[in-house]
């Protein structure tokens, strides 16, 4: 830094302000410092700074299913905000496995992040305890434990139960009496909430016995026979709901392989909209999750907790939006 300041003809304090963005400097000084940094190859020593300040300038993100487009978008939006705050993001993949979640998060803790965002597995208690013992600010994202609020963390997710109930209401209004749900991985909070919403919607419509739930994930892999089991029942459904975007794509594949046409033979709804859902034929009716708002609020909750680590735990829910397209039509008997 001394060499950069000498070459640029400014003080070391000015160089520090340019590097850290901590105070406005004149355009001339900014250009001189940037040119000197380029000429000298100077790199700010983040390790030395962390030893001095006790902060690493990093945020940990522990999340699952990186192959899922929904999570990919989520990570991108969070990374952009964290970078804009002058920090770096360290990403680890939990694969939705509690043992791996604890392992990779413990490795993440060894890097001393200033805070952690966690998309919890079905059994996250040990991981949450490990983070809390380090007194590291924490926000749970996408999946909200049923025991929240908890003063150890904040949590934000989609309102799954009411949204799924609204999907059932939409299908019942179209005359569908038998509805199937291909749900996500057992035990995940999002899965349990969506199944609960499905059952609530049927109960409100007076059709509690006319819905069937199949899990679309077995041993962390998509179940390639879930739709076949649904349609093989004595009274098969006339409408199917895909529990998330990947499951919906698998449902479409299975329906095609069984020679079923959407929506002529069966109506289909996806609980998750995705970029090319509007390009399907027919265009998919879907529940659009507010991923941008979720990411923005998650980072803001983390900023608040970094400022006030001992604040009471907060839980926020954001309502998704159902987009009705052409994959849901009135039941043929009522058309």
């Amino acid at each position: 830094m001394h060499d950069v300041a000498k070459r640029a003809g400014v003080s070391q304090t000015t160089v520090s302000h340019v590097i850290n963005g901590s105070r406005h400097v004149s355009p001339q000084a900014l250009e001189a410092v940037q040119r000197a940094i380029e000429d000298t190859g100077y790199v700010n020593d983040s390790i030395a700074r962390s030893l001095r300040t006790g902060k690493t300038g990093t945020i940990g993100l522990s999340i699952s299913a990186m192959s899922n487009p929904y999570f990919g978008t989520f990570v991108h939006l969070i990374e952009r905000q964290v970078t804009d705050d002058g920090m770096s993001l360290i990403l680890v993949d939990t694969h939705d496995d509690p043992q791996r979640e604890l392992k990779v998060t413990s490795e993440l803790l060894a890097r001393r992040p200033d805070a952690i965002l966690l998309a919890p597995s079905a059994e996250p208690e040990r991981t949450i305890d490990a983070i809390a013992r380090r007194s590291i600010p924490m926000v749970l994202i996408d999946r909200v434990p049923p025991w929240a609020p908890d003063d150890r963390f904040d949590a934000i997710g989609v309102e799954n139960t009411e949204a799924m109930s609204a999907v059932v209401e939409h299908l019942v209004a179209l005359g569908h009496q038998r509805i199937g749900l291909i749900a996500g991985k057992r035990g995940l909070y999002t899965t349990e909430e969506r199944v609960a919403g499905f059952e609530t919607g049927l109960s409100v419509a007076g059709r509690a016995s006319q819905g069937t739930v199949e899990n679309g994930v077995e041993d962390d892999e998509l179940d390639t026979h879930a739709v076949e089991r649904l349609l093989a029942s004595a009274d098969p459904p006339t409408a199917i709901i895909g529990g998330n975007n990947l499951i919906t794509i698998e449902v479409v594949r299975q329906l095609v392989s069984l020679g079923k046409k959407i929506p002529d033979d069966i109506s289909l709804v996806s609980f998750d909209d995705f970029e090319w859902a509007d390009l399907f034929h027919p265009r998919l009716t879907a529940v659009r999750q507010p991923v941008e708002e979720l990411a923005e609020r998650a980072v803001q909750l983390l900023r608040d907790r970094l400022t006030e680590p001992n604040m009471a735990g907060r839980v926020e829910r954001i309502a998704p939006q159902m987009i009705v397209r052409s994959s849901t039509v009135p039941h043929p008997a009522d058309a």
Side-chain angles (χ1 to χ4, degrees):
M1 189 177 290
H2 171 78
D3 293 341
V4 169
K6 183 176 180 181
R7 192 179 190 96
V10 298
S11 68
Q12 287 189 181
T13 301
T14 299
V15 175
S16 177
H17 288 316
V18 170
I19 292 170
N20 298 309
S22 51
R23 197 185 73 186
H24 175 74
V25 300
S26 70
Q28 295 83 359
L30 176 63
E31 183 180 356
V33 171
Q34 289 174 336
R35 188 185 307 114
I37 288 174
E38 184 177 344
D39 291 344
T40 60
Y42 170 76
V43 177
N44 191 25
D45 192 337
S46 59
I47 296 176
R49 181 175 60 185
S50 69
L51 290 172
R52 184 176 67 252
T53 64
K55 302 291 184 182
T56 60
T58 58
I59 300 296
L61 175 58
S62 188
I63 199 168
S64 64
M66 292 306 300
S67 61
N68 189 323
Y70 169 77
F71 281 113
T73 302
F74 204 64
V75 170
H76 167 72
L77 292 168
I78 288 174
E79 191 275 338
R80 186 170 62 188
Q81 291 188 79
V82 168
T83 301
D84 288 346
D85 286 350
M87 306 182 79
S88 300
L89 190 70
I90 302 176
L91 180 67
V92 294
D93 191 342
T94 68
H95 294 270
D96 268 340
D97 175 73
Q99 297 291 337
R100 180 177 173 84
E101 176 183 67
L102 179 61
K103 178 179 183 295
V104 298
T105 304
S106 296
E107 293 170 354
L108 180 60
L109 290 171
R111 297 176 178 269
R112 298 176 60 190
D114 296 335
I116 285 184
L117 294 161
L118 171 68
S121 69
E123 299 174 11
E125 291 84 353
R126 289 196 298 163
T127 299
I128 290 173
D129 287 344
I131 298 170
R133 281 196 300 270
R134 299 284 193 97
S135 299
I136 293 178
M138 172 178 22
V139 173
L140 305 190
I141 54 177
D142 186 61
R143 301 159 181 171
V144 180
W147 68 82
D150 186 309
D151 288 346
R152 296 175 298 172
F153 57 78
D154 296 315
I156 184 166
V158 166
E159 177 45 72
N160 291 293
T161 305
E162 291 182 7
M164 181 62 84
S165 184
V167 171
V168 173
E169 181 182 345
H170 166 68
L171 293 171
V172 169
L174 290 174
H176 294 279
Q177 297 187 19
R178 300 175 305 284
I179 302 170
L181 168 64
I182 309 293
K185 187 174 181 178
R186 291 182 179 89
L188 293 179
Y189 304 134
T190 46
T191 299
E192 300 306 312
E193 289 172 355
R194 291 171 193 176
V195 170
F198 178 72
E199 294 171 346
T200 297
L202 290 170
S203 179
V204 169
R207 299 177 183 177
S209 62
Q210 295 174 315
T212 306
V213 178
E214 288 281 350
N215 279 91
V217 180
E218 292 293 340
D219 298 325
D220 296 328
E221 298 291 337
L222 290 173
D223 188 332
T224 57
H225 300 288
V227 173
E228 187 176 347
R229 290 196 300 273
L230 270 182
L231 299 184
S233 63
D235 202 8
T238 58
I240 291 177
I241 305 167
N244 61 39
N245 54 7
L246 291 182
I247 287 175
T248 300
I249 294 168
E250 177 60 23
V251 169
V252 171
R253 190 195 68 77
Q254 291 183 38
L255 287 173
V256 170
S257 70
L258 293 170
K260 300 295 183 181
K261 294 183 179 180
I262 307 168
D264 298 347
D265 298 322
I266 195 157
S267 287
L268 178 64
V269 180
S270 172
F271 198 104
D272 209 355
D273 202 15
F274 39 96
E275 189 174 356
W276 21 279
D278 200 31
L279 302 178
F280 266 65
H281 181 70
R283 296 161 62 239
L284 283 177
T285 295
V287 175
R288 177 176 294 166
Q289 300 196 66
V291 60
E292 291 191 13
E293 188 176 356
L294 278 169
E296 288 174 2
R297 287 301 305 154
V299 174
Q300 186 56 55
L301 287 171
L302 201 63
R303 292 186 188 115
D304 294 346
R305 191 156 280 274
L306 280 165
T307 303
E308 297 183 47
N310 297 319
M311 65 166 50
R314 298 168 292 174
V315 174
E316 291 189 10
R317 295 281 192 170
I318 302 177
Q321 177 187 13
M322 187 163 70
I323 310 297
V324 178
R325 301 188 180 106
S326 54
S327 68
T328 51
V329 297
H331 182 263
D334 299 328

